[in-house]
Amino acid sequence: MTHIVECQALGLCLQAQSRRLYRRYRRGCECADEDFCRSRGCCYALRRLLRLLCELLAGHPRNKMNIQSSGPGDSLRAYTLQLAQDPNSTFARNIENFICCTKESREAAPQVVMRNMRQFMSGMKNYLVKHGEGKFHAELESARSRLKADEFLNLDSMLETVMHQLVVLPLREHLYGIFVDHYQRSEDIQLLAQNVRYACDREAADFGIRPTVTPPSHAALRLISNLLLRLQEAELPLDKLELFLCVISTVFDATGCPRGQQLGADDFLPVLVYVVAKCGFVGAEIEAEFMWGLLQPTLLNGEPGYYLTALCSAVQVLKTFMASEGESGNGSLDWRSSCLPACSSVLRVIIPDECNGSLQTRTLPVRPHTTTREVCRIIAHKARITNPQDYALFKLVDGEETLLTDAECPQDARLAAKGKHCMLAYKRIDAKIAWPTAQPASH
């Protein structure tokens, strides 16, 4: 998983740990494959099923509340959970009041509910760190005293997992109900389901997958389907993210992509659309929004955020799959055409290479209303720009540059060009470039 693991503060920094998780989920999903089980007999399948049930019961988030381990921060975590059970503590009363108010509220927009949950969890973490309550600071000092000279206690990570258990877990069913009601009213679920049913019988070429790219096999799709089922059953955002990264790694393995290398977005996005359609992942939009809205924003700055954005982009493309096929004229999606109806979910940016005088076109998955600042962060990360403060995003209309501000929406800027030849370019602010009149080819 070295090509998708990002060194982040919330427990994803250890690549070995992520690989162990990946292998564990892969083994767990293989037992659900009928051919796999049949080749080893019914007794083997029964033993695997019983073992999985035991692992699920032991590893269920509700059963992790009182697990003790020997890490320096575990006593502090246990005390925080204990503090949340004390009805006389301000910490516990605030959590109980927030959960009750959220359930009783008539707010029907899931994004608003998740924003309130995210702000409340961040606020309660700041409250404990700055002011403490009960013996919190004493437990913190005790944990610090057990640290080695080259170790540190990641309070943010520890408190984040605690707040997920105390806030997200009790509100999960309520939030999913709001999601379903919201997308049913907007008819997004019906639209996605209709297009998924239509697309699931199509061939790989109909999704715009080039002949040089190998789509996932039927066996790989069964494995991915089981991972997606586990993702939907997982209750906490971090657990969902771990499983989603396993899905992405499986997709890369299934396409024969060598470890450490990545498909470009022009090739990866069609494969992801193909996977979502073939697996019938109608809940993709809800699951992606659930993770986006509740995970700590800093965790989504790197690879996890990029692949979540790719999932959102794949959903938007699938919603217009039938319309896109009709407008393309050849019965398949053309990802390198600027006329793709789902262009609001895909952004093409040209990047000049000042060393050899060439232009490269990068295709980026984007969410609706993505800002220039977010686009620049994605490009800098993918292109490994070490001095992103010297770069900016420009709108090119007939060769004339216009600097886009951080708060502007690049998709809207292109639509405002009113039929003129408009491109987006990511370059050094001080670079003086004469742009070609012909449109650069995609790479």
Side-chain angles (χ1 to χ4, degrees):
M1 290 182 64
T2 54
H3 60 290
I4 66 171
V5 172
E6 182 72 5
C7 294
Q8 297 287 350
L10 296 181
L12 296 177
C13 58
L14 298 178
Q15 294 187 12
Q17 178 183 0
S18 296
R19 283 193 292 268
R20 285 196 300 272
L21 283 168
Y22 175 53
R23 288 194 295 268
R24 186 186 73 194
Y25 291 129
R26 289 288 295 263
R27 287 196 300 268
C29 287
E30 284 175 347
C31 75
D33 189 332
E34 294 179 1
D35 296 333
F36 183 87
C37 294
R38 190 181 300 115
S39 65
R40 289 161 175 78
C42 296
C43 293
Y44 178 85
L46 181 60
R47 287 197 304 270
R48 289 292 300 164
L49 177 60
L50 291 174
R51 183 181 302 173
L52 277 174
L53 287 174
C54 292
E55 291 176 357
L56 287 173
L57 289 174
H60 195 282
R62 301 184 195 278
N63 297 331
K64 293 180 181 179
M65 300 287 283
N66 298 317
I67 293 179
Q68 300 291 334
S69 55
S70 58
D74 290 311
S75 60
L76 181 62
R77 180 178 181 274
Y79 179 77
T80 306
L81 292 171
Q82 179 184 348
L83 188 64
Q85 305 302 318
D86 182 2
N88 296 320
S89 68
T90 302
F91 182 66
R93 289 198 301 269
N94 284 342
I95 292 177
E96 182 179 2
N97 291 338
F98 177 80
I99 292 174
C100 291
C101 291
T102 301
K103 290 182 177 180
E104 294 173 0
S105 172
R106 296 184 179 181
E107 179 58 59
Q111 288 77 14
V112 175
V113 176
M114 289 190 297
R115 184 177 68 233
N116 293 339
M117 292 170 64
R118 184 65 258 171
Q119 290 176 350
F120 176 77
M121 290 189 292
S122 299
M124 294 310 296
K125 288 196 300 181
N126 292 334
Y127 164 75
L128 285 177
V129 173
K130 293 181 179 179
H131 304 287
E133 188 172 5
K135 299 179 180 179
F136 181 85
H137 282 160
E139 291 289 344
L140 176 58
E141 291 302 319
S142 175
R144 290 180 58 192
S145 66
R146 297 197 300 273
L147 293 172
K148 298 178 182 179
D150 58 348
E151 292 180 338
F152 72 95
L153 178 61
N154 194 332
L155 276 178
D156 199 33
S157 172
M158 186 273 293
L159 291 177
E160 182 73 12
T161 57
V162 169
M163 295 309 300
H164 281 189
Q165 292 180 6
L166 297 176
V167 177
V168 176
L169 207 55
L171 292 173
R172 177 180 179 273
E173 293 183 6
H174 173 75
L175 181 57
Y176 268 100
I178 295 176
F179 264 120
V180 173
D181 292 342
H182 175 78
Y183 285 117
Q184 280 184 340
R185 286 194 304 270
S186 64
E187 298 185 350
D188 282 320
I189 288 183
Q190 297 90 321
L191 180 62
L192 180 58
Q194 180 183 5
N195 278 273
V196 165
R197 283 195 299 269
Y198 174 80
C200 66
D201 295 328
R202 306 307 297 266
E203 299 297 328
D206 297 328
F207 293 85
I209 299 177
R210 292 191 281 195
T212 55
V213 178
T214 303
S217 64
H218 292 296
L221 288 173
R222 283 197 299 269
L223 180 58
I224 294 171
S225 294
N226 282 290
L227 285 169
L228 291 175
L229 178 60
R230 288 192 173 198
L231 185 152
Q232 293 178 89
E233 293 174 344
E235 294 190 318
L236 299 179
L238 282 172
D239 295 339
K240 289 180 181 289
L241 182 62
E242 287 177 356
L243 285 160
F244 177 65
L245 293 180
C246 289
V247 169
I248 296 299
S249 184
T250 306
V251 170
F252 275 109
D253 291 344
T255 56
C257 182
R259 181 158 299 189
Q261 297 183 17
Q262 300 181 21
L263 293 173
D266 277 328
D267 291 322
F268 174 70
L269 287 176
V271 171
L272 189 58
V273 174
Y274 176 85
V275 166
V276 172
K278 292 293 184 179
C279 293
F281 190 23
V282 178
E285 186 167 20
I286 292 178
E287 296 298 340
E289 291 296 330
F290 185 89
M291 287 183 275
W292 262 112
L294 295 177
L295 286 170
Q296 195 170 22
T298 54
L299 185 61
L300 301 174
N301 287 340
E303 297 294 308
Y306 175 80
Y307 290 116
L308 268 181
T309 303
L311 179 60
C312 296
S313 179
V315 168
Q316 298 304 317
V317 171
L318 264 178
K319 285 182 181 179
T320 58
F321 187 85
M322 290 186 288
S324 300
E325 277 196 333
E327 294 187 21
S328 65
N330 57 7
S332 63
L333 298 180
D334 184 4
W335 290 82
R336 285 152 289 281
S337 170
S338 60
C339 300
L340 188 67
C343 62
S344 62
S345 62
V346 175
L347 202 63
R348 294 173 182 81
V349 180
I350 57 176
I351 303 176
D353 187 336
E354 298 183 55
C355 295
N356 56 26
S358 64
L359 294 176
Q360 293 184 349
T361 301
R362 293 291 183 97
T363 303
L364 304 175
V366 291
R367 288 160 53 85
H369 311 298
T370 299
T371 64
T372 298
R373 182 180 181 181
E374 294 169 332
V375 171
C376 288
R377 187 173 63 228
I378 293 174
I379 299 175
H381 175 77
K382 299 301 291 183
R384 294 179 173 83
I385 302 295
T386 58
N387 54 333
Q389 69 278 2
D390 296 335
Y391 286 73
L393 192 66
F394 293 82
K395 179 176 69 173
L396 303 179
V397 179
D398 296 332
E400 183 178 348
E401 297 179 3
T402 302
L403 176 65
L404 297 180
T405 62
D406 286 348
E408 285 188 85
C409 178
Q411 296 105 309
D412 295 342
R414 288 196 62 185
L415 293 176
K418 297 181 180 179
K420 296 181 180 179
H421 178 61
C422 178
M423 291 292 293
L424 298 173
Y426 180 79
K427 71 178 189 70
R428 279 194 314 110
I429 299 174
D430 295 335
K432 305 298 187 292
I433 294 176
W435 302 99
T437 55
Q439 184 175 349
S442 298
H443 296 285

